[in-house]
């Protein structure tokens, strides 16, 4: 039996798509190998969000080929869409597939029914077509969360119509397209039938879900209302643009036992001038009001924020404004990204490049702020009873065995290993902060 190893870089959407590819390989009778093991085929689903992501893709391809020169290498994803020539320059890459071609991979492998006939190509074959107009097909995808069967990512949307000045994603994935609501529900049912307890809705711009059927435009709220009717324990929205987080969604999250009290909202900059240069679709006043409203409506809500530091022209004062703005908000954690120059974006043409050392320093400062926010947020729940969906076993450096899980509002909880708790929701008292990163909990049912 021929074997295939797949590896994913980047966003949850990529993870869901890689999982779908893995299922397709299994259906063709191939054995799935772990990344790092020798295999007959290797598939890398790439990301291109930063320069580092591109570099990591190249390093992975070279390292796989060093250890296994005979493996048939397929590279797809955003980096393949945007820079196929760079990838083709790496000796040993056989097939490069763009975004549209990704989930039609088998159309580009000869003799699909007999993968034993796959031989290395004398030179890279490239199939990259222009991405996505409105009428372009969108293929559904869903996946397991890394190696557990606890949480699954469900793709409901792809592409983006926004024009943030630093971002290449619309070039790599096309305009916003949404999966028909009935297909979303069908895929959700398959996830539930496989035993998953939590569905995480993903897309490039998930909040922009819009699908017109029978004269009605279905939006994210309609997806949530449909999923709420299913036999699923939890539904989580992976990330939502602030201008798309509607009152309807907030009040459904407030009233629902299934939709998680957790929002991940990209801010990107807390300085008004930089935010304008980024071409985001809101201002700071709107953002503050939104966060305050969410917290008043849902007091225990977990709120994570994306922020980019080192955008062209960001002075010490601009950065301080961002710091102060974030510090003043009652949020639970930050995801901090260092600005990375991307070809063909507006931002790359802007003056005022911030030097790399300064970008590192600013990232560090915001990561410390994030740790403080997380500590404050987690502390509020010490001594309280929370429902935790337990998933992975983890081993710490001292060799102690734990199970980790998440509360509805995204507090990470650890408990001493008890396999009976895996892939289930248990009510536990959170009784001990374990450093800043996690809450260690001793069970007291
Ligand atoms: S909203 Fe902005 S940052 Fe997000 S994918 Fe669209 S263009 Fe990129």
């Amino acid at each position: 039996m021929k074997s295939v190893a797949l590896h994913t870089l980047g966003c949850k959407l990529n993870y869901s798509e890689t999982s779908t590819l893995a299922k397709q390989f299994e259906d063709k009778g191939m054995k799935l190998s772990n990344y790092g093991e020798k295999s007959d085929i290797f598939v890398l689903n790439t990301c291109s969000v930063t320069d580092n992501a591109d570099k990591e893709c190249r390093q992975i391809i070279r390292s796989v080929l060093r250890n296994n020169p005979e493996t048939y290498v397929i590279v797809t994803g955003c980096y393949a869409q945007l820079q196929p020539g760079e990838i083709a320059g790496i000796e040993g890459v056989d097939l490069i597939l763009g975004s549209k071609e990704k989930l039609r991979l088998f159309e580009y492998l000869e003799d699909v029914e007999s993968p034993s006939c796959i031989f290395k190509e004398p030179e890279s074959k490239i199939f990259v077509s222009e991405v996505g107009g409105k009428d372009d097909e969108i293929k559904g995808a869903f996946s397991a969360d890394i190696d557990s069967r606890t949480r699954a990512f469900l793709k409901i949307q792809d592409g983006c119509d926004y024009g943030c000045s630093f971002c290449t994603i619309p070039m790599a994935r096309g305009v916003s397209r949404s999966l028909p609501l009935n297909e979303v529900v069908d895929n959700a049912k398959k996830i539930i039938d496989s035993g998953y307890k939590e569905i995480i809705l993903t897309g490039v711009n998930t909040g922009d879900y819009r699908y017109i059927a029978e004269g009605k435009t279905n939006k994210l709220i309609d997806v949530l209302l449909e999923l709420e009717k299913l036999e699923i324990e939890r539904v989580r929205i992976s990330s939502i643009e602030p201008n798309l987080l509607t009152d309807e969604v907030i009040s459904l999250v407030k009233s629902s036992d299934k939709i998680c009290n957790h929002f991940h909202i990209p801010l990107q900059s807390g300085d008004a001038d930089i935010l304008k240069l980024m071409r985001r679709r809101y201002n700071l006043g709107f953002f503050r009001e939104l966060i305050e409203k969410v917290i008043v409506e849902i007091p225990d809500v977990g709120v994570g924020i994306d922020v980019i530091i080192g955008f062209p022209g960001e002075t010490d004062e601009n950065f301080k404004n961002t710091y102060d703005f974030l510090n003043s908000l009652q949020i639970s954690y930050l995801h901090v990204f260092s600005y990375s120059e991307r070809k063909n974006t507006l931002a790359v043409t802007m003056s005022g490049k911030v030097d790399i050392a300064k970008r590192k320093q600013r990232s560090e400062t915001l990561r410390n702020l994030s740790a403080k926010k997380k500590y404050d947020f987690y502390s509020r729940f010490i001594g309280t009873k929370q429902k935790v969906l337990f998933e992975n076993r983890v081993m710490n450096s001292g060799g102690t065995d734990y199970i980790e899980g998440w509360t509805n509002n995204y507090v990470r909880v650890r408990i001493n290993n008890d396999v009976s708790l895996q892939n289930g929701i248990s009510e536990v008292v959170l009784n001990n902060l374990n450093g800043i990163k996690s809450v260690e909990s001793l069970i007291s049912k």
Side-chain angles (χ1 to χ4, degrees), residues 81-335:
Q81 176 69 37
L82 295 172
Q83 305 297 339
E86 278 182 19
I87 299 169
I90 303 173
E91 203 182 325
V93 173
D94 298 282
L95 189 58
I96 299 166
L97 300 176
S99 301
K100 265 192 192 170
E101 291 75 18
K102 187 192 289 187
L103 292 177
R104 289 166 35 215
L105 182 148
F106 287 93
E107 293 172 25
Y108 302 92
L109 282 179
E110 280 167 32
D111 206 353
V112 167
E113 296 309 322
S114 172
S116 54
C117 292
I118 292 170
F119 295 111
K120 284 197 75 67
E121 310 288 351
E123 59 184 43
S124 307
K125 285 180 165 173
I126 301 178
F127 298 95
V128 175
S129 51
E130 238 178 70
V131 284
K134 276 280 170 221
D135 299 329
D136 266 15
E137 187 187 29
I138 163 170
K139 286 204 181 282
F142 52 91
S143 79
D145 186 12
I146 323 292
D147 53 3
S148 75
R149 293 185 74 78
T150 304
R151 302 190 299 156
F153 300 110
L154 171 59
K155 171 180 169 181
I156 62 168
Q157 185 275 346
D158 202 345
C160 183
D161 294 343
Y162 292 13
C164 302
S165 62
F166 51 83
C167 183
T168 53
I169 294 175
M171 295 174 227
R173 285 197 172 257
V175 299
S176 181
R177 282 115 56 222
S178 302
L179 207 63
L181 187 53
N182 61 325
E183 283 185 41
V184 171
V185 173
D186 285 350
N187 286 342
K189 285 179 180 162
K190 285 181 199 155
I191 289 172
I192 296 165
D193 289 346
S194 309
Y196 291 94
K197 299 291 186 293
E198 180 174 315
I199 290 176
I200 304 169
L201 300 179
T202 62
V204 167
N205 190 345
T206 309
D208 194 33
Y209 178 90
R210 273 171 291 147
Y211 191 83
I212 301 172
E214 293 163 12
K216 180 188 179 233
T217 305
N218 289 304
K219 298 194 172 165
L220 180 64
I221 184 77
D222 301 295
V223 173
L224 294 170
L225 287 167
E226 283 305 312
L227 297 191
E228 232 212 344
K229 293 179 197 158
L230 304 179
E231 290 291 315
I232 183 79
E233 301 273 3
R234 286 180 176 176
V235 176
R236 196 181 292 277
I237 306 166
S238 59
S239 172
I240 186 161
E241 286 291 310
N243 52 307
L244 297 172
L245 181 46
T246 60
D247 289 350
E248 271 177 313
V249 171
I250 296 170
S251 62
L252 179 63
V253 170
K254 180 182 177 176
S255 63
S256 170
D257 288 336
K258 290 185 181 173
I259 320 282
C260 292
N261 292 348
H262 169 220
F263 294 113
H264 189 93
I265 310 172
L267 166 69
Q268 310 307 21
S269 176
D271 178 87
D273 294 336
I274 297 294
L275 200 57
K276 250 189 221 152
L277 289 174
M278 288 177 160
R279 304 214 162 173
R280 302 285 292 163
R281 295 198 173 192
Y282 48 86
N283 59 32
L284 295 178
F286 176 90
F287 196 91
R288 180 184 294 287
E289 269 176 34
L290 176 73
I291 302 297
E292 288 173 356
K293 176 166 61 185
V294 166
I295 287 162
V296 167
E297 290 296 319
I298 314 166
D300 285 352
V301 69
V303 178
I305 305 278
D306 283 340
V307 57
I308 297 172
I309 56 82
F311 188 83
E314 186 188 69
T315 61
D316 288 345
E317 196 188 332
N318 298 137
F319 175 68
K320 186 174 181 307
N321 289 340
T322 290
Y323 184 95
D324 291 345
F325 184 78
L326 290 168
N327 195 23
S328 71
L329 297 176
Q330 198 187 316
I331 53 178
S332 14
Y333 65 92
L334 301 170
H335 280 177

Side-chain angles (χ1 to χ4, degrees), residues 9-28:
L9 296 170
C11 61
K12 306 292 187 234
L13 196 52
N14 262 6
Y15 279 93
S16 67
E17 290 171 342
T18 307
S19 249
T20 297
L21 287 176
K23 279 184 221 111
Q24 291 176 358
F25 276 107
E26 271 184 315
D27 290 347
K28 299 276 178 207

Side-chain angles (χ1 to χ4, degrees), residues 40-57:
D40 299 296
I41 298 178
F42 172 69
V43 180
L44 181 61
N45 192 1
T46 62
C47 170
S48 189
V49 81
T50 63
D51 207 27
N52 269 344
D54 291 357
K55 206 186 290 170
E56 195 183 355
C57 296

